[in-house]
Amino acid sequence: MDAPQVPDPTSAAPEVTVIIPNWNGRRLLPTCLAALGRQHYRSFQVIVVDNGSTDGSDEWLRQSYPAVRLIVNQRNLGFAAAINQGIICTESRWVATLNNDTEVAEGWLSALVQAADS
């Protein structure tokens, strides 16, 4: 069975951008991205900033999650630089960051947006 896909933001500007830095986390990304695909709140996009992985993370992402925006660095620039790269590439109202080993609950993003809006 295929994992739930993240929304494809091409039809409308997403309200939230979720930025995930990655370095050799190919084995972690399926769980993280599948959990994002199960979110009830759907006005979001995902940006993965790959920090010079050598484990095939970028190829796997392009094949398995084509709606994920991928930024590929030639070397590991670190967490903060990766987050900043993602922020620069978005026009969303809100930005959320996740580690690649995170598995969020289905209501995570809607709760975050509700809290931010209040």
Side-chain angles (χ1 to χ4, degrees):
M1 180 158 106
D2 290 334
Q5 290 292 311
V6 298
D8 187 344
T10 56
S11 59
E15 187 78 5
V16 180
T17 297
V18 179
I19 302 170
I20 305 168
N22 181 65
W23 181 72
N24 289 329
R26 161 63 185 91
R27 64 181 170 71
L28 302 170
L29 288 170
T31 300
C32 182
L33 293 172
L36 286 172
R38 291 188 295 270
Q39 293 303 295
H40 301 299
Y41 186 88
R42 300 304 291 171
S43 182
F44 73 97
Q45 69 173 336
V46 176
I47 298 176
V48 173
V49 182
D50 187 78
N51 270 327
S53 293
T54 58
D55 66 351
S57 292
D58 56 342
E59 293 90 0
W60 179 83
L61 278 165
R62 284 185 188 100
Q63 175 110 17
S64 302
Y65 281 89
V68 169
R69 184 166 179 189
L70 178 61
I71 299 169
V72 178
N73 294 322
Q74 296 305 307
R75 62 184 177 86
N76 190 345
L77 302 178
F79 180 87
I83 294 296
N84 286 335
Q85 282 180 299
I87 290 171
I88 288 168
C89 293
T90 184
E91 295 180 13
S92 297
R93 181 175 179 206
W94 305 109
V95 171
T97 63
L98 284 180
N99 289 335
N100 59 2
D101 63 349
T102 305
E103 183 177 0
V104 294
E106 292 176 8
W108 168 78
L109 197 49
S110 56
L112 225 72
V113 170
Q114 184 178 19
D117 281 341
S118 68

